[in-house]
Amino acid sequence: MVIVMKPTAKKEDIEALANQFRAMSLEVGVTNGIDCTILGLVGDTTTLDVGKISIDPNVERVMRVQEPYKKANRKFHPEDSQVTVGSATIGGGCFSVIAGPCSVESEEQVIGIARDVKRAGAGLLRGGAFKPRTSPYSFQGMGAEGLDFLLEAKEVTGLPIVSEIMSPRMVEEFERKVDIVQVGARNMQNFDLLKEVGRISKPVLLKRGLANSYEEWIMSAEYIMSEGNENVILCERGIRTFETFTRNTLDVSSIPAIKKMSHLPIIIDPSHAAGMSWMVEPLAMAAIAAGADGLMIEVHNDPPNAKCDGQQSLTPAQFTALMKKVTALVDLCGKKLVQ
Ligand code: PEP
Ligand code: MN
């Protein structure tokens, strides 16, 4: 961290401030320029509050030279992280596809889709039991019963299951029943929830918020990791922009950017980004080419009658056709498709 002192700052005030940091076990280099003095802090500055330091009347400007995240930082962990669940692996050269309905609607529905996506090459089954809907009058999901239907589909197909958690009160049940706990875009900065899922033993799939920066997203991963759970997968699902043609705008740049900033795996959800089933395939292809570690794709047996997100859901036949292309491109990109 670099602190630029005001030209009016007195020598004894600068020394007093420098000593405050030294008392925090930081090394402080003092550079006296012609007009002002600069303090260079070396050591762990993650807990320092830039805003608080800026309040000092002798301080002109405070600049971080290091990222505020540690555990998720590529600098301190150069090799790619990998998350393995059952036979599926995401990250570190391995690629897995998570597929299934937006929401679990019945036992037969989810078991049928699970069979279809497994046959097509998916490595994990998704399905929402608790749904974050914009309207309180829309279908809110089947609740705990939905998780039990997912478990039955897992028993039939062997596919590990991924489902979204909305409340810290549900953590114990999710830890028991679900293989990957999904934190949705709307809860990316629900810090209580992040801390709770940081204390469980199951991997967490952390979606990017609708209007959050890469750094804010990684800081949310840091919340989970700082509680002890380092099995975090990031998922880009499109962000809000001025464009209204698509439901969201898929930020393909997030893939190389996250890979530079963090060692965590990143997967892409083209379904929620596009909001239209016909656009899922080209976005999925772009994601693989840009270096994604996996995909999350919504598949429904009867999209026109789906209770949620039918317009962006692929039929099992469309998903099967997509998986043929995915398999070829993943291979061409030098990754291993793990089912
Ligand atoms: C979902 O995956 O069903 C979902 C609600 O996604 P998001 O949080 O990205 O909107
Ligand atoms: Mn959905």
Side-chain angles (χ1 to χ4, degrees):
M1 184 176 283
V2 173
I3 303 173
V4 182
M5 304 302 294
K6 285 192 178 149
T8 49
K10 293 200 186 81
K11 213 168 168 209
E12 56 268 30
D13 293 331
I14 296 172
E15 205 41 40
L17 187 62
N19 284 336
Q20 271 181 38
F21 295 122
R22 288 187 186 113
M24 297 163 89
S25 304
L26 293 167
E27 255 180 65
V28 187
V30 183
T31 311
N32 293 303
I34 297 170
D35 293 322
C36 64
T37 297
I38 292 172
L39 304 184
L41 310 191
V42 182
D44 185 3
T45 58
T46 43
T47 56
L48 290 185
D49 185 336
V50 171
K52 232 174 174 171
I53 301 167
S54 311
I55 292 172
D56 188 314
N58 292 306
V59 168
E60 177 76 41
R61 211 142 70 93
V62 184
M63 286 162 288
R64 272 196 187 282
V65 288
Q66 208 157 47
E67 299 80 12
Y69 47 93
K70 244 179 143 174
K71 289 184 179 283
N73 201 325
R74 166 85 67 184
K75 260 185 213 154
F76 310 119
H77 190 297
E79 59 294 340
D80 287 341
S81 282
Q82 232 179 18
V83 177
T84 297
V85 208
S87 55
T89 300
I90 295 175
C94 291
F95 189 103
S96 286
V97 179
I98 305 170
C102 179
S103 26
V104 177
E105 296 174 13
S106 71
E107 187 181 355
E108 309 75 64
Q109 175 237 20
V110 77
I111 292 176
I113 296 174
R115 283 201 169 107
D116 289 338
V117 298
K118 182 177 167 112
R119 203 176 304 120
L124 301 109
L125 173 69
R126 66 150 285 150
F130 298 86
K131 295 303 303 175
R133 305 303 300 275
T134 302
S135 165
Y137 308 116
S138 301
F139 176 58
Q140 302 286 305
M142 296 192 78
E145 195 185 18
L147 291 184
D148 294 332
F149 292 159
L150 279 168
L151 273 172
E152 284 175 37
K154 176 184 174 178
E155 219 165 280
V156 173
T157 60
L159 290 178
I161 53 179
V162 185
S163 200
E164 177 171 352
I165 188 167
M166 295 219 296
S167 161
R169 291 190 301 276
M170 297 299 295
V171 165
E172 189 271 326
E173 185 159 359
F174 269 74
E175 183 174 25
R176 222 169 355 100
K177 295 184 174 173
V178 166
D179 296 294
I180 297 184
V181 178
Q182 177 175 328
V183 173
R186 290 155 192 83
N187 274 312
M188 191 206 87
Q189 287 190 313
N190 180 339
F191 300 116
D192 272 350
L193 183 61
L194 298 177
K195 283 188 207 163
E196 286 293 333
V197 297
R199 295 185 195 118
I200 64 174
S201 56
K202 297 287 174 72
V204 177
L205 182 95
L206 178 65
K207 287 198 157 193
R208 181 181 181 186
L210 279 70
N212 286 106
S213 66
Y214 301 149
E215 189 169 288
E216 287 165 342
W217 188 14
I218 296 176
M219 287 306 284
S220 289
E222 190 81 10
Y223 256 92
I224 300 168
M225 298 172 87
S226 68
E227 292 294 330
N229 188 354
E230 305 209 353
N231 275 320
V232 179
I233 302 161
L234 299 173
C235 177
E236 157 71 32
R237 44 76 76 206
I239 49 168
R240 279 275 167 88
T241 66
F242 55 82
E243 184 55 72
T244 54
F245 185 83
T246 45
R247 182 176 181 183
N248 292 287
T249 297
L250 180 66
D251 179 11
V252 179
S253 316
S254 66
I255 303 164
I258 289 294
K259 292 216 164 279
K260 195 160 188 69
M261 298 165 81
S262 177
H263 53 88
L264 296 175
I266 174 168
I267 70 163
I268 296 294
D269 170 353
S271 308
H272 288 89
M276 295 169 273
S277 59
W278 60 267
M279 209 185 264
V280 169
E281 182 184 304
L283 296 188
M285 295 292 115
I288 300 167
D293 299 300
L295 293 167
M296 172 177 263
I297 296 187
E298 286 190 340
V299 179
H300 197 278
N301 51 314
D302 181 14
N305 292 304
K307 289 198 170 163
C308 184
D309 288 349
Q311 73 289 356
Q312 66 194 34
S313 300
L314 301 186
T315 60
Q318 288 168 331
F319 179 69
T320 304
L322 170 68
M323 282 305 291
K324 291 209 170 77
K325 296 193 177 178
V326 166
T327 306
L329 191 55
V330 167
D331 185 51
L332 191 69
C333 291
K335 287 210 168 91
K336 188 169 174 265
L337 182 72
V338 190
Q339 288 162 240

